[in-house]
Amino acid sequence: MADVLPLVEARLRTALGEPGARAAVTFLGTDRVEVLRFTEGDLVRYATLGMSAHPMSDPTAMVADPVKGPRAELVLSVRGGVADTDKVLRPLAVLAASPQVEGLVVAPGGSLDVGEPLWPGAPFTSVLVGEPGGLVEDLELDAPLDPVRFLPLLPMTPNEAAWKRVHGAQALQERWLARGTDLRDPLRRSVALD
């Protein structure tokens, strides 16, 4: 079976250009996860590389299927030069390793929390997983492998995360849209939730 990661990196390069930097993190008992940084104008995009090496499996399954199951990588977009967002590399790697470490299936509408600011001074400790297919197209793989989906991450303040747990991801996204929230602002305040 072909190694998925070179195909994933090629798709990222096609969609986002050449990475300006990359860092690798390895957690005990997991495969290495890399985070690539791409710069386009005033936007900085961070993409994981390694999460899709294995399919995510249902945590209630007795045995993980080594072939079938959803595959994904994470993409975070922020405005550059406003905050020290390069410190997000380790938290992103932690999130990308969560399917292996915690048996999570990361899917659109879900929340991921790192329990600390995503970068120094960040008002966010968690992210909302967005719908794939916008910035980076899904990568189709040979059957029976599921495609690799590139999931955008939308930083949430603790208040937004709590509100989302009660009202749902769709309601939070509609609130952001209605209020014209700049989700790429690395220092933005919480959207009004009254």
Side-chain angles (χ1 to χ4, degrees):
M1 192 173 316
D3 185 4
V4 171
L5 297 184
L7 302 173
V8 171
E9 184 168 355
R11 174 58 54 94
L12 286 169
R13 287 172 183 265
T14 299
L16 304 176
E18 286 299 310
R22 64 193 311 145
V25 180
T26 305
F27 302 100
L28 187 62
T30 67
D31 293 336
R32 180 170 109 150
V33 174
E34 289 189 85
V35 179
L36 310 181
R37 183 182 70 199
F38 302 87
T39 306
E40 178 187 336
D42 71 336
L43 287 181
V44 180
R45 302 186 197 282
Y46 301 93
T48 62
L49 179 62
M51 182 176 168
S52 62
H54 304 284
M56 293 180 275
S57 56
D58 181 348
T60 63
M62 293 298 282
V63 178
D65 189 324
V67 177
K68 293 207 52 71
R71 294 174 189 259
E73 295 290 352
L74 308 175
V75 181
L76 173 70
S77 300
V78 294
R79 298 215 182 283
V82 180
D84 189 8
T85 56
D86 279 353
K87 298 285 197 265
V88 78
L89 300 178
R90 184 166 177 74
L92 270 181
V94 168
L95 296 177
S98 62
Q100 285 184 62
V101 175
E102 300 174 34
L104 293 178
V105 175
V106 178
S111 301
L112 300 171
D113 195 319
V114 294
E116 61 185 35
L118 293 175
W119 51 82
F124 319 107
T125 60
S126 63
V127 292
L128 175 65
V129 181
E131 292 291 334
L135 187 60
V136 184
E137 279 186 42
D138 291 354
L139 173 64
E140 296 294 331
L141 301 173
D142 294 337
L145 303 180
D146 287 16
V148 176
R149 300 167 78 192
F150 297 88
L151 303 172
L153 299 181
L154 310 171
M156 292 188 294
T157 66
N159 286 346
E160 290 169 339
W163 198 86
K164 181 248 175 201
R165 281 192 292 278
V166 174
H167 299 281
Q170 183 66 36
L172 179 59
Q173 289 178 308
E174 288 170 4
R175 178 64 54 109
W176 281 336
L177 190 59
R179 303 290 167 105
T181 306
D182 181 2
L183 297 174
R184 294 176 177 164
D185 179 352
L187 298 175
R188 74 172 177 85
R189 296 185 183 278
S190 182
V191 70
L193 299 170
D194 48 358

